[in-house]
Amino acid sequence: MAKRPDWDEYFLKLAMLASERATCPRMHCGCVIVKDKNVIATGYNGSIPGDDHCDDVGCMVIDNHCVRTNHAEMNALIQAAKQGNSVNGAIAYVTNMPCTTCAKALIGAGIKKVVIFSGYHDTLAKEFFAKAGVELLKIAMPSKKIEYDIEGYSSAKK
């Protein structure tokens, strides 16, 4: 029988799904911002509105970073702001450890907890989260999918 995901696994799976929309081949990252077990915003790394996508024209790399794209966390924070949703006290589920810039933005926006499954080379972000009292939780990567048969029943339940 398939194991029912707990809340952290569930929302991290949604972040994994969001990452599939990413348009930069260097890294696919997804972010889901959740408050009171409700999704209030999602984001993935992709170009700013109206600009070309890395997948179409290539990356714009400066100092070994693609600067054509906004990171998933930034896009999720922007979506929340555009919709008038406060993220103060919310949880960010991110497929990868946020970079320093995204960590600072999440802290400044009032995110209280960040849940990831993949590490990242940025230890300064960890320090910033600790200083700001933001809980950082790394969990095992959730399984990606459950196969379904034609009648809609999980093959894991047979």
Side-chain angles (χ1 to χ4, degrees), residues 8 34 37 42 45-46 60 89 95 97 107 111 118 123 133 138:
D8 286 338
V34 174
K37 296 184 182 162
T42 64
N45 54 324
M60 186 183 297
T95 55
M97 176 67 187
I107 292 164
I111 296 293
S118 177
T123 57
K138 183 177 180 184

Side-chain angles (χ1 to χ4, degrees), residues 9 17 22 34 37 47 49 71 100 120 127 135-137 150:
E9 292 170 327
L17 183 61
V34 174
K37 296 184 182 162
S47 299
H71 289 183
T100 303
Y120 188 66
E127 290 178 32
E135 181 183 354
L136 179 62
L137 176 63
I150 218 162

